[in-house]
Amino acid sequence: MQLGGMAKLLVEGADIAWEVKCRQEDMMQRAVDNERREIDDARRAVDEKAEQLKAISHLSALIAGFAMVVMVEIELPDALNFGLLCLYGATAGSVVGLMLLAMLNCTMLLVAVMKYDCVNRPVPFARFWHARCESDWRFAYRCFSTGVPLFIVVLGEIGWVVFYKYRDKRLREGVNYRDVPASIISSIALACLTLWYVHTKAKWGGFVHDSTATFIDPGRRDDADVEASHEREPSGAETPPRGRLGARGHAAGGAGRRVRGPASASGDAAEVAQTTLDSTATPGSPPPTVAADSHV
């Protein structure tokens, strides 16, 4: 009788030791998974900022090249109005200078961002960006967003510069050859400039400029419509699990149920069994049960 009791105690002690060992290994694996997840998040943030800086840098260089080519290759008439010549030179030079500043700042920021250590992470990337890069990014974006409308202004001025030599040819009384094509080009440039300020910059300017901008702004009509559509969704709609740990308690669209087994010697085995049962539940299946004498 005593031997049987001692054997039972030895078996229970071995089970408890095995459960503790499994729990320790599980916690170590969770720590490794969390570290990998943080490394992936840091790399994702770095890649996001790198692509953002590359887009502005490449487009700035492209616009600066166009403005430089137009300024160098255009044939200026000998009798061009002095005021028009000064205005054209000032706007074209401003476009090239602003776009070069935007490109150089974005290039330097890109180099700094790519040097960030995603594995060791001496500081969080968000803190590094706001402390060292945010002000330069805003300066580069201001230069870019100012150079774009000036480039459109250069387009409106080109017609008056190129067609200036036809000012003496008359289409009819009071209208010469220069005014009609130059006015058409200026009208197109004015329409593009209006669309830039009214639509593109008004909608995306603040969102791109501010790194802390939210994806949903209740004050905007479009975002309010999105929120209203989500509110009209039926309450029984399936919601996908959010992440690995998000499946607990509502796996497979809420079909899983939290199952609590009887208290064991350590209490940890029941939690591990609970996680396993919740993650394997399927819609429409009956609630799983845990045997009272089950061990991990």
Side-chain angles (χ1 to χ4, degrees):
M1 194 69 180
Q2 292 180 354
L3 292 177
M6 292 180 61
K8 184 177 180 180
L9 290 175
L10 289 176
V11 171
E12 291 179 354
D15 289 342
I16 293 174
W18 177 254
E19 291 172 1
V20 172
K21 181 180 179 181
C22 291
R23 180 62 176 173
Q24 291 176 349
E25 292 179 353
D26 181 64
M27 296 301 295
M28 292 176 60
Q29 184 62 36
R30 289 185 182 183
V32 172
D33 292 340
N34 291 336
E35 181 66 19
R36 290 175 178 172
R37 190 179 298 109
E38 290 180 0
I39 293 175
D40 291 339
D41 290 342
R43 288 175 176 171
R44 190 180 301 109
V46 170
D47 292 340
E48 175 189 351
K49 294 299 182 183
E51 293 298 327
Q52 175 180 324
L53 294 171
K54 287 179 182 179
I56 297 296
S57 178
H58 293 171
L59 191 56
S60 299
L62 185 64
I63 295 177
F66 281 155
M68 180 65 72
V69 169
V70 170
M71 188 168 50
V72 172
E73 297 296 333
I74 192 173
E75 296 181 3
L76 298 175
D78 296 334
L80 183 63
N81 183 273
F82 180 73
L84 180 60
L85 180 62
C86 293
L87 181 61
Y88 173 74
T91 52
S94 299
V95 171
V96 175
L98 289 172
M99 291 301 172
L100 282 178
L101 288 174
M103 180 190 66
L104 293 175
N105 275 273
C106 289
T107 303
M108 296 300 177
L109 285 173
L110 181 60
V111 174
V113 165
M114 297 305 294
K115 289 178 65 178
Y116 180 79
D117 189 358
C118 297
V119 178
N120 296 321
R121 300 183 305 281
V123 294
F125 180 76
R127 181 180 175 185
F128 164 76
W129 175 265
H130 287 289
R132 299 295 300 271
C133 306
E134 182 69 22
S135 58
D136 289 336
W137 158 248
R138 294 192 177 194
F139 174 75
Y141 182 75
R142 288 194 194 99
C143 292
F144 175 78
S145 59
T146 305
V148 169
L150 285 178
F151 184 70
I152 299 176
V153 172
V154 171
L155 173 64
E157 296 171 349
I158 287 178
W160 300 98
V161 173
V162 172
F163 302 124
Y164 188 82
K165 55 186 177 182
Y166 299 111
R167 67 188 186 281
D168 295 331
K169 294 185 178 181
R170 299 285 178 177
L171 183 62
R172 64 174 186 267
E173 187 65 26
V175 179
N176 52 38
Y177 280 10
R178 179 197 62 181
D179 294 341
V180 176
S183 299
I184 293 175
I185 295 176
S186 298
S187 300
I188 296 173
L190 181 61
C192 295
L193 188 64
T194 303
L195 289 175
W196 163 258
Y197 278 108
V198 173
H199 176 72
T200 306
K201 190 174 183 181
K203 183 177 182 179
W204 298 109
F207 180 79
V208 176
H209 178 265
D210 189 3
S211 299
T212 61
T214 58
F215 286 95
I216 298 295
D217 182 7
R220 290 185 56 85
R221 184 183 63 182
D222 297 340
D223 296 343
D225 293 341
V226 172
E227 288 189 347
S229 64
H230 283 295
E231 291 177 356
R232 289 193 297 268
E233 289 182 355
S235 58
E238 294 186 358
T239 304
R242 299 180 179 179
R244 288 181 50 198
L245 301 180
R248 297 188 59 181
H250 57 272
R257 298 184 180 180
R258 182 175 298 276
V259 180
R260 297 188 179 274
S264 61
S266 63
D268 294 333
E271 182 180 352
V272 175
Q274 164 63 38
T275 306
T276 305
L277 290 171
D278 287 341
S279 61
T280 56
T282 56
S285 61
T289 58
V290 179
D293 58 347
S294 62
H295 298 287
V296 177

